Amino acid sequence: MAKRTGLGKGLDALIPAGKTSAGEAGGIMQVSLDSIQRNPRQPREKFDAVELENLAASIREHGVIQPLIVSPSKGGAYTLIAGERRLQASRKAGLKTVPVVIRSATDQQLLELALIENVQRADLNPIEEAEAYQNLAKEFRMSHETIASRVGKSRVAVTNTLRLLDASAAVKQALVDGRITEGHARAMLSLSAKAQEHLLNQIINLDLSVRSTEVLARKLSGQRPVAKKKTGRSPNVSDVERKLQSSLGTKVALKHGKRGGTVTIFYYSDEELDSLLEKLT
């Protein structure tokens, strides 16, 4: 199993080591749990209760192995940058103090670091991730390209995640609950909220694939299905048709298929019909 790297490059890139408080540089210190407040920029809302209990049990047995990362705030308190699960589990475990590494961080860095930590660990649901990207884009005027470089994803991936915020409330909730995938949600974005809910029920009740959802969404939006390209006519068939027209002296239509075909000979007067009969008999 690959070893988790935590924030790794993300932390050092956003808060260079030189900005660490001199008295605490590079060191780990114990601080009171009561002095640590939750990161107000934390994009993650849901935490698995069973996982938290398991982590609390581990902390009671072994203590907090990986220090939390905090930023100094007013009145001797600290704001959590990274380690939300460890913070909550430590409280459940009844600890009084926890090991921390102190870094100074701006509001933007608090959001970026919390986002990077969660994205790297795949802890966010798609809507939490999209809302975090939206906050970066709106509050800190970051482009999709810049956000992508910060979280280690492609620009297209960031844009597609942000598009999920245009889904109806019911679709977003189904996505958060894991009843549909991001592909299902994106397939319904062109529909009205009412149509999205109608299709959402079909997806869940019939266990529709993303492909089937895309087809149904096109029908509901009034889009015509993608027409199949007509097969080009064989040059040989056209050549035979030209030779028949030249030989009979009138228009000829030739349809050729795998199992035979038809030849239609046109005439425009009784005289032309008589002339054709003479040539063919």
Side-chain angles (χ1 to χ4, degrees):
M1 179 181 289
K3 184 180 179 182
R4 283 181 172 176
T5 58
L7 289 176
K9 290 182 178 179
L11 178 62
D12 290 334
L14 289 168
I15 308 177
K19 291 188 178 180
T20 307
S21 302
E24 301 133 355
I28 297 173
M29 58 182 294
Q30 291 283 335
V31 301
S32 167
L33 265 177
D34 293 337
S35 67
I36 302 175
Q37 61 185 10
R38 192 169 185 257
N39 184 349
R41 297 289 184 176
Q42 170 61 251
R44 189 179 180 188
E45 298 293 338
K46 284 191 172 184
F47 292 86
D48 188 285
V50 175
E51 288 184 0
L52 279 180
E53 286 296 342
N54 291 339
L55 183 56
S58 173
I59 287 174
R60 287 190 197 98
E61 181 72 20
H62 305 289
V64 178
I65 296 174
Q66 184 180 4
L68 283 64
I69 301 172
V70 298
S71 176
S73 53
K74 295 178 180 178
Y78 298 94
T79 299
L80 184 70
I81 295 177
E84 177 76 33
R85 287 177 68 249
R86 278 167 280 153
L87 178 66
Q88 291 192 30
S90 295
R91 286 179 172 145
K92 285 181 178 292
L95 299 190
K96 299 298 181 185
T97 63
V98 288
V100 301
V101 172
I102 300 176
R103 299 279 181 114
S104 296
T106 64
D107 276 357
Q108 180 173 338
Q109 288 167 332
L110 285 175
L111 175 56
E112 286 187 48
L113 288 165
L115 177 59
I116 291 167
E117 180 191 33
N118 284 296
V119 167
Q120 286 183 345
R121 293 175 177 167
D123 283 339
L124 297 179
N125 67 53
I127 297 301
E128 288 174 334
E129 189 172 340
E131 289 174 342
Y133 291 162
Q134 187 180 57
N135 287 337
L136 288 172
K138 286 189 173 179
E139 293 187 36
F140 305 113
R141 300 180 182 279
M142 292 175 67
S143 67
H144 293 187
E145 191 78 40
T146 302
I147 295 171
S149 68
R150 295 295 177 91
V151 300
K153 293 196 173 186
S154 69
R155 197 274 304 162
V156 173
V158 169
T159 300
N160 280 338
T161 300
L162 279 164
R163 290 178 60 219
L164 296 173
L165 296 176
D166 295 330
S168 72
V171 169
K172 284 191 279 194
Q173 189 59 53
L175 192 54
V176 169
D177 295 340
R179 288 181 293 163
I180 61 172
T181 68
E182 292 182 49
H184 286 110
R186 274 193 285 273
M188 293 186 276
L189 291 178
S190 62
L191 303 175
S192 67
K194 186 176 180 179
Q196 286 186 33
E197 291 180 21
H198 171 73
L199 184 49
L200 174 63
N201 290 330
Q202 286 187 287
I203 293 169
I204 294 172
N205 293 333
L206 302 177
D207 193 23
L208 295 180
S209 67
V210 172
R211 176 61 182 154
S212 297
T213 302
E214 290 171 344
V215 172
L216 286 175
R218 276 198 292 271
K219 286 183 179 177
L220 288 172
S221 64
Q223 294 180 35
R224 291 181 179 178
V226 179
K228 293 182 178 178
K229 288 185 177 179
K230 292 183 178 179
T231 305
R233 198 179 197 201
S234 167
N236 292 335
V237 173
S238 297
D239 186 54
V240 171
E241 191 177 74
R242 279 194 298 272
K243 288 179 178 176
L244 285 171
Q245 288 180 164
S246 176
S247 175
L248 297 175
T250 187
K251 180 182 177 182
V252 175
L254 175 61
K255 291 184 179 179
H256 180 70
K258 291 182 179 178
R259 297 182 179 178
T262 58
V263 178
T264 304
I265 302 172
F266 295 81
Y267 64 93
Y268 303 95
S269 66
D270 291 344
E271 290 75 14
E272 285 187 2
L273 178 59
D274 290 339
S275 174
L276 283 171
L277 290 173
E278 287 179 2
K279 292 176 181 175
L280 295 171
T281 57

